[in-house]
Amino acid sequence: STDTFNYATYHTLDEIYEFMDLLVAEHPQLVSKIQIGNTFEGRPIHVLKFSTGGTNRPAIWIDTGIHSREWVTQASGIWFAKKITKDYRQDDTLRVILDNMDIFLEIVTNPDGFAYTHKTNRMWRKTRSRTPGSLCVGVDPNRNWDAGFGKAGASSNPCSETYHGKFANSEVEVKSIVDFVTKHGKIKAFISIHSYSQLLLYPYGYTSDPAPDKEELDQLAKSAVSALTSLHGTKFKYGSIIDTIYQASGSTIDWTYSQGIKYSFTFELRDTGLRGFLLPASQIIPTAEETWLALLKIMDHTSKHLY
Amino acid sequence: NENFVGHQVLRISAADEAQLQKVKELEDLEHLKLDFWRDPARAGIPIDVRVPFPSVQSVKAFLEYHDISYEIMIEDVQSLLDEEKQQMAAFQARAL
């Protein structure tokens, strides 16, 4: 059962998909599994939906693992899924959120890349699509969105780790989310989780123009970061992508924000100790716990400031 | 499974814009097969790069020549991967 599932170790794609089915079977009144598409190599792309009822409610989207080697993010996504089912009756904040909104959680956003990190190359980051005319494989799925696509802050070289792809949404893993979000039409917060470098970022990445909602996003990021730090003391910085790290074009949250999803954030989770993507499994749960506090802040604010 | 024996991860500290540009020059040398875990962003923000074994000496020589400070963040990537695999296998065995 998901009570005996081990959250303190890394899991394969099959184990994670099995976990999802277990969770749905244990909580059919709360959790359902949606397939939003198939990957380049034909794997199903699954999203968990947490809903206490109603139809076409406003919703919150959380995704992990868009960069496949960032294993602590998928592992945290599994922990979040279990946390929601455990807490939704007893945690007042979460109960109010779920009384008014649905939560969509995509734990493995890049299944082909993730499977490849287990089988062949633990350092793999991109998708596994093929680029005609190049021996190099894959596109950076966080440079492939239709927001400043192809501008400075991504590479046009198919061999680069930040290759943006032939055209916006060329990657089916990205297009599947675009279609889902567009069709749903009432996503009010979109949170994409990466690792590492302990950052909470909001738009924009492709331009230094401030986002119209910068003040509110900055205040919310500040409060989310202080909630995160309060648990284990992990220090985070926050700000717009371009001000806090560098120019990045075609990124997820620049597109979601351009779609009117005001509360668009990207996390870069911890590495507090020189291990980078190879974060020891012993840090999965502490990382997920602290991130959850920040997520709750963002979801709580969203549910109280629907627009 | 790709092997990362001898690959090192260096944490580079670019003191100023000129040093940052030097590190970016490295990024363009495809034959070195560098894998930036944290891209060169701005002076003062750590730059983490995985360096394949055949390139380790030349990258270190380049950094030292340009007086760019760095530390070895991961001595041998493969040993961490082996540790990670053992940890997963131990849990899977226990689960079975």
Side-chain angles (χ1 to χ4, degrees):
Chain A
S1 85
T2 59
D3 288 333
T4 55
F5 185 87
N6 196 306
Y7 299 90
T9 186
Y10 292 112
H11 290 276
T12 64
L13 182 64
D14 290 344
E15 289 167 347
I16 296 175
Y17 279 4
E18 202 176 305
F19 164 82
M20 288 182 187
D21 291 336
L22 272 176
L23 199 71
V24 170
E26 291 168 3
H27 304 276
Q29 80 291 353
L30 174 67
V31 196
S32 55
K33 185 177 81 172
I34 303 168
Q35 182 172 345
I36 63 170
N38 287 293
T39 66
F40 176 82
E41 293 177 339
R43 293 181 173 89
I45 303 174
H46 290 308
V47 174
L48 290 178
K49 175 182 181 182
F50 300 84
S51 178
T52 57
T55 52
N56 197 22
R57 274 180 172 173
I60 292 160
W61 171 281
I62 301 168
D63 69 58
T64 52
I66 194 166
H67 285 148
S68 35
R69 66 185 177 185
E70 300 166 5
W71 278 15
V72 71
T73 69
Q74 298 95 333
S76 298
I78 297 168
W79 190 90
F80 299 150
K82 178 65 179 172
K83 183 69 173 172
I84 293 171
T85 60
K86 269 196 321 190
D87 282 11
Y88 86 103
R89 282 207 182 89
Q90 64 229 16
D91 178 309
D92 288 343
T93 304
L94 185 58
R95 190 169 41 74
V96 170
I97 291 164
L98 280 168
D99 281 349
N100 300 291
M101 305 182 81
D102 294 338
I103 297 174
F104 292 99
L105 172 60
E106 184 177 8
I107 295 175
V108 188
T109 306
N110 176 4
D112 292 349
F114 187 61
Y116 197 71
T117 60
H118 279 273
K119 280 201 316 278
T120 310
N121 181 346
R122 171 71 177 82
M123 298 298 147
W124 194 261
R125 159 190 168 101
K126 302 192 284 184
T127 62
R128 291 292 301 161
S129 63
R130 302 303 188 269
T131 300
S134 171
L135 288 176
C136 293
V137 172
V139 169
D140 181 348
N142 196 32
R143 296 293 187 284
N144 187 242
W145 300 73
D146 196 7
F149 175 82
K151 289 187 174 163
S155 171
S156 56
N157 175 356
C159 299
S160 164
E161 291 293 353
T162 57
Y163 175 48
H164 50 54
K166 279 258 178 278
F167 51 88
N169 301 337
S170 62
E171 301 313 287
V172 63
E173 294 81 359
V174 169
K175 185 70 168 59
S176 301
I177 300 173
V178 167
D179 292 345
F180 178 82
V181 167
T182 306
K183 184 161 176 269
H184 184 280
K186 291 180 77 176
I187 306 261
K188 300 299 178 184
F190 193 107
I191 303 158
S192 191
I193 299 181
H194 293 245
S195 80
Y196 64 97
S197 57
Q198 287 144 237
L199 299 170
L200 178 51
L201 304 168
Y202 51 78
Y204 292 109
Y206 74 90
T207 174
S208 51
D209 297 343
D213 302 293
K214 179 182 168 68
E215 282 319 306
E216 184 184 2
L217 293 176
D218 202 71
Q219 282 307 308
L220 180 49
K222 181 179 180 182
S223 121
V225 160
S226 74
L228 184 153
T229 304
S230 70
L231 188 61
H232 300 302
T234 307
K235 300 258 180 298
F236 263 61
K237 288 188 181 138
Y238 60 90
S240 72
I241 299 169
I242 196 164
D243 290 343
T244 313
I245 29 174
Y246 44 52
Q247 186 170 22
S249 62
S251 71
T252 310
I253 63 169
D254 279 358
W255 179 78
T256 58
Y257 190 73
S258 74
Q259 299 305 300
I261 302 175
K262 186 198 302 191
Y263 303 115
S264 289
F265 290 98
T266 287
F267 277 88
E268 289 282 356
L269 302 187
R270 69 157 77 167
D271 164 39
T272 44
L274 302 182
R275 294 284 292 257
F277 304 112
L278 305 180
L279 197 70
S282 57
Q283 292 200 35
I284 292 172
I285 293 179
T287 303
E289 287 171 334
E290 64 190 12
T291 310
W292 178 251
L293 297 181
L295 288 174
L296 268 183
K297 278 285 178 195
I298 294 170
M299 296 195 287
D300 182 43
H301 181 93
T302 303
S303 74
K304 290 172 177 164
H305 299 81
L306 286 178
Y307 53 92
Chain B
N1 231 316
E2 190 146 341
N3 190 296
F4 295 92
V5 172
H7 290 222
Q8 292 195 329
V9 178
L10 304 183
R11 172 157 286 181
I12 301 170
S13 307
D16 54 34
E17 193 54 35
Q19 289 198 348
L20 194 74
Q21 286 314 316
K22 281 295 170 201
V23 177
K24 287 187 173 179
E25 282 172 26
L26 274 179
E27 198 171 9
D28 297 333
L29 303 176
E30 279 193 26
H31 68 282
L32 292 175
K33 296 192 184 304
L34 301 182
D35 173 17
F36 280 84
W37 285 14
R38 289 179 72 169
D39 287 320
R42 56 179 56 122
I45 295 183
I47 302 164
D48 296 346
V49 57
R50 174 174 61 85
V51 184
F53 177 66
S55 307
V56 167
Q57 287 320 316
S58 44
V59 168
K60 287 180 178 176
F62 176 91
L63 294 172
E64 285 155 19
Y65 177 79
H66 292 286
D67 202 21
I68 299 172
S69 70
Y70 69 88
E71 60 178 305
I72 299 175
M73 181 174 154
I74 296 177
E75 195 74 41
D76 180 281
V77 171
Q78 190 57 45
S79 60
L80 289 192
L81 296 184
D82 294 342
E83 192 184 301
E84 190 175 69
K85 269 197 178 316
Q86 281 151 28
Q87 190 271 347
M88 284 177 71
F91 273 108
Q92 280 160 354
R94 223 172 291 170
L96 287 175

